[in-house]
Amino acid sequence: MSIQELIGYASAVVVGLVIGLAGGGGSILTVPIFVYVFGVPTMLATTYSLFVVGSTSAIGSINHIWKKRVDLRVTMAFAAPSFLSVYLTRRFLVPALPDPLFQFATFTLSKNDAILYFFAFVMVVAARAMIRSDQPEQGEAADGHPRYVSLALDGLAVGLLTGTIGAGGGFIIVPMLVLLAGLPIHRAIATSVLIIAVNSFVGFLGDMHHTAMDWNFLLPFTSLSIGGIFIGMYLARFIASDKLRKGFGWFVLTVAGYIIFQEIFHGH
């Protein structure tokens, strides 16, 4: 095993740690790790990411549910439309995208590159929302009444996002649960982990019929990630909400910058 592969497997622990700490962001790491460290094609990397993030989040969500940190009513309002959206996107929309996606004169944009650019763009938008110092703690739901219609619409959008780029969507789900459901950041994180688990598995099932899996690679990576989520959930108890939100935002922004740099100057 090469040093690069060892670094990749060690990064699997960090994937779980990030999910445990921030309620998402695992796919922000898994897709770049699979593409840039292991050389996995982008579309296959998004499939692998859905399995790793789904499995890791499922284990973490069991712990959160047991300790009654998850708001199940908010979960259903957000998750039901999201599950439908992610399955339809992964099952029908993504396979139907042409490759190359866009071509003009000598410029060609492949489907794989387009997905990575879109991935980075979404990360930048999410990072800005998390970093903003004037972000309200409860947003539209400061009166204590969750905005269920808005949550459902956002669930549809997150499902489309998850299906398109293979991201669990935690970097979008957490701020939405804070702003639209009025959940404190730590409850939003716990609720997000459950939504991500089911969202990711639904998306993965949409791929199963047309994708061959390298289980000898995928299962050890996933096991290391699951170990990491327990470390993350433990450390989350000692980190202030504001610092956790902003720190996660800067982390997302850094990874987005790396992806853009790689795609513009080096490709993959």
Side-chain angles (χ1 to χ4, degrees):
M1 184 180 294
S2 68
I3 294 178
Q4 184 170 337
E5 288 176 328
L6 285 174
I7 293 173
Y9 280 111
S11 299
V13 179
V14 182
V15 169
L17 190 148
V18 170
I19 296 174
L21 272 175
S27 53
I28 289 175
L29 285 177
T30 51
V31 172
I33 289 169
F34 289 145
V35 172
Y36 299 117
V37 178
F38 291 103
V40 176
T42 301
M43 289 306 302
L44 182 58
T46 63
T47 301
Y48 282 2
S49 173
L50 289 170
F51 179 80
V52 172
V53 174
S55 301
T56 305
S57 300
I59 298 299
S61 66
I62 292 171
N63 181 66
H64 284 311
I65 292 171
W66 180 262
K67 295 184 177 179
K68 298 182 179 180
R69 297 171 183 156
V70 176
D71 190 316
L72 295 177
R73 183 176 297 179
V74 168
T75 298
M76 288 305 300
F78 190 99
S82 185
F83 299 161
L84 176 62
S85 180
V86 68
Y87 181 79
L88 293 176
T89 300
R90 202 71 193 178
R91 180 68 174 81
F92 300 107
L93 177 61
V94 171
L97 292 175
D99 194 15
L101 192 65
F102 177 78
Q103 193 168 14
F104 180 77
T106 58
F107 176 77
T108 300
L109 180 64
S110 70
K111 180 162 73 170
N112 285 342
D113 288 341
I115 287 175
L116 285 172
Y117 279 124
F118 180 51
F119 191 81
F121 171 75
V122 171
M123 289 166 63
V124 170
V125 173
R128 181 178 179 276
M130 297 294 277
I131 293 169
R132 283 175 54 190
S133 59
D134 61 340
Q135 179 174 319
E137 193 65 25
Q138 290 187 309
E140 294 181 24
D143 58 4
H145 299 291
R147 303 306 195 254
Y148 289 114
V149 173
S150 296
L151 281 170
L153 292 175
D154 280 312
L156 284 172
V158 168
L160 178 63
L161 176 73
T162 298
T164 303
I165 64 177
F171 50 93
I172 297 292
I173 296 171
V174 172
M176 289 303 99
L177 293 181
V178 172
L179 296 172
L180 298 177
L183 298 182
I185 184 70
H186 288 289
R187 279 182 65 81
I189 287 170
T191 303
S192 171
V193 170
L194 176 59
I195 294 171
I196 290 169
V198 184
N199 245 9
S200 298
F201 276 131
V202 169
F204 180 74
L205 289 175
D207 279 357
M208 282 294 290
H209 74 290
H210 59 73
T211 306
M213 307 294 169
D214 183 354
W215 295 108
N216 290 330
F217 163 68
L218 200 53
L219 292 179
F221 190 98
T222 303
S223 298
L224 291 169
S225 179
I226 289 172
I229 196 172
F230 287 105
I231 300 174
M233 288 188 297
Y234 175 78
L235 294 177
R237 296 186 298 172
F238 306 103
I239 302 177
S241 300
D242 185 61
K243 290 183 178 179
L244 179 59
R245 186 185 70 238
K246 290 183 180 180
F248 183 41
W250 284 111
F251 171 76
V252 170
L253 191 61
T254 300
V255 178
Y258 176 80
I259 292 175
I260 294 170
F261 177 82
Q262 284 289 331
E263 289 304 300
I264 292 177
F265 296 105
H266 298 289
H268 61 273

